[in-house]
């Protein structure tokens, strides 16, 4: 409003000055009553004196304009201070609010950074502890290697008697004590000697962690060792790994041994000719067996020549979410290996979702024989084969679950069991058996673990 008043005054001055460069003035003073008055004076360019008839219209016009000017200035004086104060208060409050929000945001960011750094410190401390334990084990390892090399090919008890010694010899007694301190199971690492024959699953040990995946692609996957390798390029110590999160999974990582696998140092990365579907792959006799993505096609990939050796559709098998395990993941076809060979665990529309077991020819992938069970595939979390028997895992998330069913292909009969099984990391997406190591290999929520298993004489109950 006050800008309008000033603009009016300037317009009047400009108008007057343009009229023969007249001199004009604007005066401000109080009257006798103390009221403020503004007086605008302009000298006539032609008249030396004012006559009544000629002055009246002009005086009336000037008076009206001055009255308007006075009213505008009065309103200006009353409203300027209030408006300015109100705007200043609003602007000040808004500025304080923005500053507070900014400080709060920075505080929250700093808190998040602090928590992240604390987690990193904890992780570094955990790794430091692991390295310390590993260093301590390496310090002790030479002694164990000495015992092993000195007594290899001896009876399992380690009681080797050299004729040069007799039981009364002190040095012999000392050596004998050293030997008996080393358990027989440590003389040949990673092999379970509880029962050498093929039997029924009696118990499963606690999970042993070997590696944790570094990225989201390792949420679930496959990791294996070949129980019966062929040739010399790869051995039963070679570790194979596939991270199966993604739309085009083709990378197969190879590690020299378990130690290099634990450290994350692959010796080679192979590019597979077809994409992998889910976590049902198997390694057996120098080949990788897996299901081609979005199909019922099985592929045998020769690891030594890095070529596709065989491919064949598994007849009537459901695929890509038709008959998966309870955790999903397109686990419709699960390939497995045990003492009796290569197997496929799947279902068909004819079986209406019940598990079908087929023994496959490891060269041609043709079905040799099939068994249809009464186990609903989508009600169990996973399955594996041991000595021609199918075992199912009840849950993939429960920390303490069970192996809840066994089906024996030799007797065509199944029954419920309750062998304790632990999902330590709460999302177990792969369970496979290695009969050479006598272990279960599993992929549990980024964590690659093994379980020792104990077999015993089979019982012949059925349901």
């Amino acid at each position: 409003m006050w800008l309008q008043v000033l603009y009016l005054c300037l317009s009047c001055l400009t108008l007057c000055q343009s009229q023969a460069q007249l001199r004009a003035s604007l005066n401000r003073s109080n009257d006798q009553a103390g009221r403020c008055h503004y007086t605008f004076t302009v000298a006539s360019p032609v008249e030396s004196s004012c006559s009544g008839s000629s002055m009246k219209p002009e005086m009336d016009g000037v008076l009206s304009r001055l009255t308007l000017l006075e009213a505008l200035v009065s309103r200006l004086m009353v409203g300027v201070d209030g408006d300015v104060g109100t705007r200043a208060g609003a602007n000040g409050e808004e500025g304080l609010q923005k500053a507070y929000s900014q400080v709060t945001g920075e505080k929250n960011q700093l808190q998040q950074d602090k928590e992240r750094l604390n987690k990193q410190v904890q992780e570094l401390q955990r790794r430091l502890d692991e390295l310390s334990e590993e260093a301590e084990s390496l310090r002790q390892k030479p002694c164990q290697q000495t015992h092993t090399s000195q007594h290899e090919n001896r009876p399992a008890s380690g009681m080797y008697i050299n004729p040069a010694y007799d039981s009364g010899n002190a040095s012999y007694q000392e050596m004998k004590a050293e030997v008996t301190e080393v358990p027989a199971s440590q003389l040949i690492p990673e092999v379970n000697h509880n029962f050498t024959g093929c039997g029924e699953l009696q118990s499963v040990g606690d999970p042993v962690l070997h590696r944790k995946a570094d990225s989201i692609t390792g949420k679930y996957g496959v990791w294996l060792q070949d129980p019966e390798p062929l040739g010399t390029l790869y051995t039963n110590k070679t570790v194979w790994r596939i991270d199966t999160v993604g739309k085009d999974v083709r990378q197969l990582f190879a590690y020299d041994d378990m130690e290099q696998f634990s450290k994350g140092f692959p010796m080679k990365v192979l590019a597979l000719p077809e994409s992998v579907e889910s976590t049902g792959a198997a390694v057996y006799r120098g080949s990788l067996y897996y299901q081609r993505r979005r199909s019922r096609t099985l592929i045998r990939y020769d690891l030594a020549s890095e070529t596709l050796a065989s491919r064949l559709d598994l007849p009537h098998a459901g695929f890509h979410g038709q008959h998966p395990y309870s955790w999903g993941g397109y686990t419709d076809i699960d390939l497995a290996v045990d003492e009796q060979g290569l197997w496929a665990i799947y279902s068909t529309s004819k079986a209406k979702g019940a598990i079908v077991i087929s023994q496959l020819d490891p060269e041609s992938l043709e079905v040799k024989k099939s068994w249809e069970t009464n186990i609903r595939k989508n009600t169990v979390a996973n399955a594996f084969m041991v000595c021609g028997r199918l075992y199912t895992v009840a849950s993939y998330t429960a920390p303490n679950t069970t192996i809840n069913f066994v089906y024996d292909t030799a007797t065509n009969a199944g029954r419920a069991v309750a062998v304790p099984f632990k999902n330590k990391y709460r999302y177990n997406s792969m369970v496979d058996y290695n009969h050479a190591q006598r272990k279960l290999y599993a992929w549990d929520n980024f964590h690659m673990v093994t379980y020792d298993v104990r077999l015993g004489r089979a019982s012949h109950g059925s349901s």
Side-chain angles (χ1 to χ4, degrees):
M1 183 65 70
W2 61 273
L3 290 175
Q4 294 176 347
V5 173
L6 292 178
Y7 179 77
L8 179 61
C9 294
L10 291 174
S11 298
C12 292
L13 289 172
T14 303
L15 176 63
C16 293
Q17 289 175 354
S18 64
Q19 299 285 334
Q21 299 298 321
L22 298 180
R23 299 180 64 181
S25 62
L26 175 66
N27 299 317
R28 178 173 179 268
S29 61
N30 295 329
D31 62 4
Q32 293 179 353
R35 296 178 58 189
C36 179
H37 286 267
Y38 288 85
T39 305
F40 187 76
T41 305
V42 180
S44 173
V46 295
E47 295 177 311
S48 59
S49 63
C50 299
S51 62
S53 59
S54 61
M55 285 293 293
K56 184 172 176 43
E58 293 185 29
M59 289 298 294
D60 290 343
V62 170
L63 180 60
S64 63
R65 287 194 295 273
L66 287 176
T67 302
L68 176 61
L69 179 62
E70 182 179 355
L72 292 175
V73 171
S74 297
R75 292 177 60 185
L76 170 66
M77 298 302 295
V78 173
V80 165
D81 293 338
D83 291 343
V84 171
T86 301
R87 287 196 299 270
N91 291 338
E93 182 178 355
E94 183 179 358
L96 288 174
Q97 184 65 32
K98 289 182 178 178
Y100 177 77
S101 300
Q102 183 177 358
V103 170
T104 302
E106 292 177 354
K107 176 186 175 183
N108 293 338
Q109 184 62 42
L110 289 173
Q111 185 67 28
Q112 293 175 3
D113 292 343
K114 177 183 176 183
E115 293 175 357
R116 188 182 74 253
L117 290 173
N118 286 337
K119 290 180 181 179
Q120 291 178 354
V121 169
Q122 293 174 2
E123 179 66 17
L124 290 173
Q125 184 62 45
R126 184 186 65 80
R127 293 184 180 180
L128 179 61
D129 293 340
E130 292 177 354
L131 289 173
S132 299
E133 293 177 2
E134 184 177 355
E136 183 62 27
S137 65
L138 288 175
R139 293 190 192 97
Q140 300 175 0
K141 194 172 182 180
C143 297
Q144 293 182 358
Q145 288 177 343
T146 301
H147 298 319
T148 303
S149 61
Q150 288 177 348
H151 302 284
E152 61 184 352
N153 301 324
R154 303 294 190 257
S157 63
M159 299 292 290
Y160 172 68
I161 302 177
N162 191 316
Y165 300 107
D166 57 41
S167 59
N169 188 302
S171 61
Y172 167 69
Q173 294 288 347
E174 181 179 359
M175 183 183 71
K176 178 181 177 182
E178 289 180 359
V179 173
T180 55
E181 286 178 356
V182 180
S185 61
Q186 293 183 9
L187 297 178
I188 305 177
E190 301 181 347
V191 177
N192 189 326
H193 295 276
N194 291 330
F195 181 73
T196 57
C198 215
E200 192 167 292
L201 182 66
Q202 303 294 314
S203 65
V204 177
D206 291 340
V208 177
L209 177 63
H210 297 275
R211 177 158 181 80
K212 181 181 178 182
D214 300 322
S215 65
I216 189 61
T217 57
K219 170 71 174 179
Y220 47 86
V222 187
W223 80 286
L224 300 161
Q225 289 181 293
D226 192 339
E228 299 180 23
L230 300 177
T232 58
L233 181 58
Y234 302 113
T235 70
N236 60 354
K237 293 183 179 180
T238 306
V239 180
W240 303 94
R241 166 183 168 176
I242 305 174
D243 294 344
T244 58
V245 176
K247 294 183 178 180
D248 189 20
V249 178
R250 293 174 181 265
Q251 288 187 328
L252 173 63
F253 295 88
Y255 302 82
D256 276 325
D257 51 33
M258 196 69 78
E259 181 180 1
Q260 296 301 309
F261 172 73
S262 299
K263 293 178 179 179
F265 299 149
M267 66 174 178
K268 196 170 188 179
V269 181
L270 286 69
L272 299 175
E274 301 282 357
S275 297
V276 178
E277 182 89 306
S278 197
T279 61
V283 177
Y284 182 57
R285 293 185 178 179
S287 293
L288 171 74
Y289 298 85
Y290 68 94
Q291 174 193 356
R292 181 178 176 269
R293 185 172 181 266
R294 288 181 175 272
S295 74
R296 60 173 60 93
T297 303
L298 303 182
I299 290 177
R300 179 170 77 89
Y301 178 76
D302 185 84
L303 296 170
S305 63
E306 300 181 19
T307 58
L308 194 155
S310 305
R311 63 185 300 159
L312 192 69
D313 282 1
L314 184 60
H316 312 295
F319 63 93
H320 204 67
Q322 293 177 339
H323 302 296
Y325 290 127
S326 60
W327 74 270
Y330 304 128
T331 50
D332 301 73
I333 300 175
D334 189 8
L335 300 174
V337 172
D338 71 354
E339 293 85 349
Q340 297 184 14
L342 179 66
W343 304 84
I345 305 167
Y346 62 105
S347 187
T348 65
S349 57
K350 180 182 178 182
K352 298 180 180 179
I355 291 180
V356 176
I357 312 166
S358 291
Q359 192 166 23
L360 306 179
D361 184 292
E363 295 293 327
S364 65
L365 301 176
E366 292 181 352
V367 174
K368 297 165 67 175
K369 188 176 181 181
S370 294
W371 296 259
E372 184 176 320
T373 73
N374 60 357
I375 311 166
R376 307 298 297 179
K377 192 166 184 289
N378 62 3
T379 64
V380 297
N382 225 303
F384 56 92
M385 300 293 297
V386 178
C387 296
R389 296 179 180 87
L390 173 79
Y391 293 89
T392 63
V393 181
S395 172
Y396 63 94
T397 56
N400 295 290
T401 185
T402 60
I403 293 170
N404 62 345
F405 203 90
V406 56
Y407 184 91
D408 192 341
T409 58
T411 62
N412 299 327
R415 61 187 176 87
V417 294
V419 179
F421 184 86
K422 293 184 178 180
N423 297 309
K424 184 175 181 180
Y425 304 101
R426 307 292 187 91
Y427 203 97
N428 212 330
S429 58
M430 166 238 164
V431 181
D432 274 340
Y433 174 63
N434 185 306
H435 58 272
Q437 305 293 342
R438 193 62 65 87
K439 292 178 185 291
L440 293 178
Y441 287 59
W443 195 300
D444 189 358
N445 200 15
F446 296 96
H447 298 79
M448 285 144 268
V449 299
T450 58
Y451 303 79
D452 285 328
V453 299
R454 185 171 64 87
L455 305 182
R457 302 296 177 187
S459 58
H460 297 287
S462 64
S463 61

